[in-house]
Amino acid sequence: MTSRRRESSRRTRPCPLDPARRVAHPPEPVPEPTLRRSTVSRVLTALVATVLLAGTASVGGVPGTPTAPGAAVAAPLWPVPQPFPATDDPPETLAGLPPGSAYVALGDSYSAGYGLGHPTGLPVRACAQSGEDYPHRIAARFGFDLTDVTCAGATSEDVRDRVQFRGARPQLEALSADTRLVTLTIGGNDADLFGTAGSCLALSATGPVFSGQNAPSCRSTLASDGVDTLGAKIQGRVALGVAETLADVRAAAPNATVIVLGYPAIFPDAAHTPSSGCFRPAVDLGTLAGRFPRDTYPFTDADVRWLHGVQEQLDDVTRNAAQAAGATFIEVFAETQAHSACARKGAYVEGISLESLGGLSRIDLRPGALHPNRAGVRFLTDRTADVLRSRFG
C-alpha cells in the first residue's frame, strides 16, 4: 500500500461506557478502554487475591502469541487534518466511487481500531482511535477523502445526538449531502456486551466467576425469573437504538452508500469450540511476581455458549435494522467462528491479557482485549473492499 504525505492544516485538541457518568461537557478524561475499567479492576483484583491466597492457581496457561506485523499502515504521520485528502494515485480505484469521494466512518471501538498502534488523537484522545483502523485502510486503498469520527465506547446515542466526550460531538454531524460512503459498527455498547464479558472472568472452566458471590457462571447472575435480561435488552432497546441510528444516518447523508459491519466472533459456536473447551487462565503462579499470562480466555464453558448466543442475537437485530434502512450489512460473525478469541491460532480477536499498575492493588485489562487484532482489521478491510468492488466496479 503506497504511503501518503499530507500536510496538517489544523490541530485537533487532544483529548467507556457508563452513560450515567456522561454530561454535556465533562472534564477531559484519561483514555479508557471500552470495558468498564474501574469495575473490571475490582473484579480482577479480587480474582487474583482469591487465586493466590487459595493457592489453587492453574499453571501453564497458554502464553500470548504476539500479533503478526500487519500490512503497511494506511495512516500518514500525525497529526493530520480531517478529512484526509487523497494526494496521490491510490493502489485501486472504483469507477462508481472515484478517488476524492467523501467517506465518513462512524461507530465504536471495533471501527476505531481500539488497542492498535498509531493513535490519531481524533476526534479526541479519549476515543482511542488508531490510524490502523479499517476506515483508514479503505480510504488509502481507494483514495477516498476520509473523515473518521469513530470512538471507543460509542453507543447509538453518541452517534446520533450526544456529546460523548468534550470535543467529540455527535458523530452524525460529520455527515452531509456530499457524503458518498458511510461505514458503521454499533450496538455492542448499547447492549453492554463488552462490559458484561469483562465481568465474566472465571477461575476455571466450571467457575466460579466474580460477577456475583461464588456464582458458577456469569449467565446465572443475569437471569431474572428465567428471563435472560441481556438478551431481552438486545431484542428491545438495542434493536430500537440501532434502527433509529441508521434512519438518522440515511437522513443526514441522503446520497451516501451506507455499510454496516457486524462484530467478528468473540465467543465461538459449538462447532468451533475445542472438545476440551476454550478456558485459558488469566492468572497463574507467575502472577506472584507481577507477571500475567498473555492472550488468555478465562470464561466458563457455560458462559462461552451463552455469550455466543448473546452475540448472535446482536448480529441478528443489526442485520434486520440494516435491511430495513436500505443499508448494506456485511456479515462477519458467521464467517469468523473459527477465528474467535478462543482460537489458539489464527484468531482475529485478542484474548484477555491483564496488567498491574502499582502492584496487585490495581489490575486492568490491557488495551485491545476482546477487540480485533491486526489480522482481524485486515479481514474487516478486505470484506469491506469486496463489497465496494461488487457495488462500484
Side-chain angles (χ1 to χ4, degrees), residues 14 29 54-55 75 81 86 113 140 150 185-187 209 223 233 290 323 331 339 345:
T150 58
T185 303
I186 203 67
V209 296
K233 181 192 297 184
Q323 291 172 349
E331 172 60 74
H339 302 279
K345 292 182 179 179

Side-chain angles (χ1 to χ4, degrees), residues 108 110 185-189 194 261-265 311 314-315 332-333:
D108 58 24
Y110 271 62
T185 303
I186 203 67
N189 295 318
F194 312 120
L261 283 82
Y263 293 93
Q311 193 177 358
L314 178 60
D315 195 63
V332 298
F333 177 63

